[in-house]
Amino acid sequence: MRTFKTRAIVAGAAVLALTGAGIAPAAAGTSHGDAKVPVAKGYGGAVSTVDLDATKAGIEVLRKGGNAVDAAVAAAATLGVTEPFSAGIGGGGFFVYYNARSGKVSTIDGRETAPRSATDQLFVDPATGLPLAFNDARGSGLSVGTPGTPLTWQRALDKWGTWSLRKALKPAIKVADKGFLVDATFASQVNENKALFGDFVPTRELYLPGGSAPAVGSVFTNPDMADTYQQIADRGVRTIYGGQLGKEIVEAVQHPPVAPETTRNVRAGDLSIRDLANYKAPLREPTRVRYHGLDVFSMGPPSSGGSTVGEILNILEASDTPDETSVLHAYIEAASLAFADRNRYVGDSDFVDVPLRQLLSQGFADERACLIDPARALPKPLAPGVPDGRYSGCGQQAAKETGKQNDGQSTTHLTTSDRWGNVVSYTLTIEATGGSGIVVPGRGFLLNNELTDFNFTPTQGDAFDPNLPGPNKRPRSSMSPTIVLKNGKPFVALGSPGGATIIGTVSQTLVNRVDLDMTLPEALAAPRVSARNAVTQAEPAFIASPVGQALVAKQHVFSSVAEIGAATAIEFGRHGFVTSVAEPTRRGGGSAMVAWPVK
Ligand code: GLY
């Protein structure tokens, strides 16, 4: 790891954020009880999520002898109650696991699938031949893919857990039954969805009681969700994958429960019980790159997370970065180049030929790094490269096309570890914040709109678009649940929500920690930049910082966005010492805990 004397310029904002309440950074947020704090240190394993109840659920599992996988499932199920607009059993996700005994990293692909009847015209209006507007596609049965989250939980527990699903669901059932305190994030997520939620009877009954969002500070209960979890506990996940609950999901997709007075043209979907019965959550090889002597593992296709984070780091590895400005300059250029390649080459590898090995190769990254001008930003958008295994100089470039931008704040990430040294990095989602807007009647959970992560029409000009809809296909994701090993042992685990910005949040946090030698809390809190080739967004504090201004002087163009991401992470010290880290302020701040805290 390298230290730059100037790195405090960017980390300064992080330190300010941590010291905002007048607490010294070293002590800020250190947890000795079960309060909501962004940093906790100690032993016995750690949990970090965006939400206090979910983190508590995971920590209780660890304290009762469960492992990191048991804790991850308990925390995720609780997020399905308290963070229902970002994730839940109506959606999907990617589960990355480090097994301390074998030293191996494995992944479960719980991504939603399109119905077997889907074609590349899924989101083309037959009446006009034009692609549907995003919101028309989103608030419909068309956007709903077969949920993968319940089977992900069952598979993870079967393979690596020590608790049954029945036991792991108990904390979430309790929270759904007894209720939780509505915070500003929950209320604002309902308010931003008021029109959509109001158009579906079960959704407005649940989330707009009396016509408005639940008040901040009120207690929100979801007895239907508690009953649904109990049914899954009693009957197993087969109740979804071909059973009674599956039939109810299919009914809601095929006949969306639209309010009679709505003016929205809500299209029906074609998901069938056979689609649900055939669903698989396969184990997939993780992506892996070497970065400054570390091994960075993440999620491969259908996610573009692992390949794009990996390519960014490989390009940086090949770049000359003597100071902080040059690190971030190269980082933005690397991310722009890697996004051009992602958009051209990455889709569901069960259906398209993704040149994954080449995208992750140092030879390809060297060619891409050769294009970077240390003196000034390249004019965007950049063209994709040609990952064909034959590399020299700055390589060939393919025809330029940019692809669609997906940068919402949706999705959630959680990170867990245990006393045995196992680690989970798990990102899960229902796609947009609020998903499709359709609550399954009487069931208390929202269905995803994950299929809108497909491109609606070709984005790559004359070249093949790897991310068009197709039967049983999984839409490309940006989710990047990541585990970094140092000498074969866990060093850092992390991930974030945020649509396509996830890739930048994860890679920039690693760059902050490894290249800029920030502490992990500083690395998470530091102002963010998200370069995605067609656009480079940055938080206002990043643009205003001296390094941001130095980058503007190098002709980088930033579009300002209030917040990027909501990361959670754990760093692993010696002899089982762990530092659990969540956001100090973004999305209302997250919740980090350890099983056995120390000062
Ligand atoms: N729906 C967000 C993602 O998969 O990247």
Side-chain angles (χ1 to χ4, degrees), residues 111 406 411 429 431 450 453 477-479 499 502:
R111 187 69 163 168
N406 162 7
T411 308
T429 185
E431 215 305 279
E450 214 69 54
D453 270 353
S477 172
S478 301
M479 293 189 283
I502 293 171

Side-chain angles (χ1 to χ4, degrees), residues 175-196:
V175 173
D177 243 344
K178 303 252 180 283
F180 59 93
L181 282 182
V182 171
D183 64 10
T185 303
F186 187 97
S188 77
Q189 290 180 341
V190 176
N191 279 325
E192 76 196 40
N193 277 297
K194 210 166 170 184
L196 179 68

